[in-house]
Amino acid sequence: MTLAVRPRLLLLDFDGVLAHYSHERRIAHLARTAGCEPARVADVLFASGLETEYDSGRIDTSTYLRRLGDGLGCAIDEAAWIASRLAGSRADPGVIEQVLAAAARTPVGVLTNNGALMAHAMRGIVAPLFPLLEGRVLCSGALGVRKPEAAAFTRALDHFGVAAAQVLFVDDVFANVQGARAAGLQADTVTDARTLRRVLRRYGLAS
């Protein structure tokens, strides 16, 4: 069913919606860069809680990269980090095509649970969406709060200057969809091009 009034903003999750993400490929790339075993990368990034700290905005990029490099015994700069993120990410062409079409009907933005560097990495992962997304990518690390917390959505609304009821948010994680709904946004679960098309049609953003 199409709504009488189309959303004034299509707000998209990144990993799992715009692109497929593989921890394993990312870890393997970082391990080759650092000359260590993948298990060590997994421990330093994830088991230690470092990635969550960065994604939550509790540490800045320079601190994050320094601690990552110290843990791996090899300096990791922004370029190396972005290269590993590109290695672990693959854009979904069908989703990209639909987002570009929807952008002719309503503005588009991204809200993702990632550290601030991800906004730069995205340029290489979903290049066809730039410059469309210029200044319209919000990372939890920069916002200082992660989905599904209500503050993540209210800060996104403030950034875009749109009322909650005028936003359609899509995410592959249902807990985040629930959080968006609790914050007053229209929201639905999307996991691939097929489900995105169904949701966009329901909200009048696709033919």
Side-chain angles (χ1 to χ4, degrees):
M1 181 179 68
T2 300
L3 297 183
V5 179
R6 287 188 188 131
R8 290 184 55 200
L9 173 67
L10 173 60
L11 189 59
L12 302 134
D13 177 39
F14 187 75
D15 295 311
V17 175
L18 289 175
H20 303 286
Y21 170 61
S22 167
H23 271 320
E24 292 75 17
R25 288 196 297 269
R26 179 186 174 198
I27 287 170
H29 188 279
L30 268 177
R32 289 192 297 271
T33 299
C36 66
E37 292 299 315
R40 183 173 180 182
V41 177
D43 285 344
V44 173
L45 263 185
F46 304 114
S48 71
L50 177 61
E51 190 84 342
T52 299
E53 285 186 73
Y54 184 50
D55 290 353
S56 301
R58 296 199 294 269
I59 56 175
D60 62 17
T61 297
S62 60
T63 301
Y64 168 72
L65 292 176
R66 176 181 55 77
R67 287 174 52 184
L68 176 59
D70 288 348
L72 298 182
C74 171
I76 302 293
D77 60 13
E78 291 189 7
W81 186 91
I82 290 172
S84 72
R85 203 49 168 84
L86 265 64
S89 304
R90 179 171 54 85
D92 186 321
V95 169
I96 300 301
E97 180 182 1
Q98 290 182 54
V99 171
L100 288 170
R105 305 185 184 213
T106 193
V108 175
V110 171
L111 176 62
T112 178
N113 279 350
N114 275 294
L117 267 180
M118 193 60 200
H120 300 288
M122 256 180 231
R123 296 174 184 277
I125 300 168
V126 290
L129 294 182
F130 286 86
L132 174 69
L133 290 178
E134 194 69 50
R136 305 184 67 82
V137 174
L138 302 182
C139 298
S140 59
L143 294 176
V145 62
R146 291 164 52 95
K147 301 173 294 183
E149 295 298 319
F153 299 103
T154 56
R155 291 175 192 178
L157 296 174
D158 289 343
H159 175 85
F160 291 110
V162 182
Q166 298 173 321
V167 178
L168 171 60
F169 171 72
V170 297
D171 200 299
D172 65 314
V173 178
F174 185 58
N176 294 336
V177 170
Q178 289 179 306
R181 290 174 178 170
L185 286 71
Q186 301 175 89
D188 216 323
T189 307
V190 164
T191 56
D192 54 24
R194 180 184 59 83
T195 53
L196 177 62
R197 183 178 299 278
R198 185 178 68 238
V199 170
L200 292 179
R201 283 175 174 167
R202 184 183 311 146
Y203 287 88
L205 298 179
S207 55

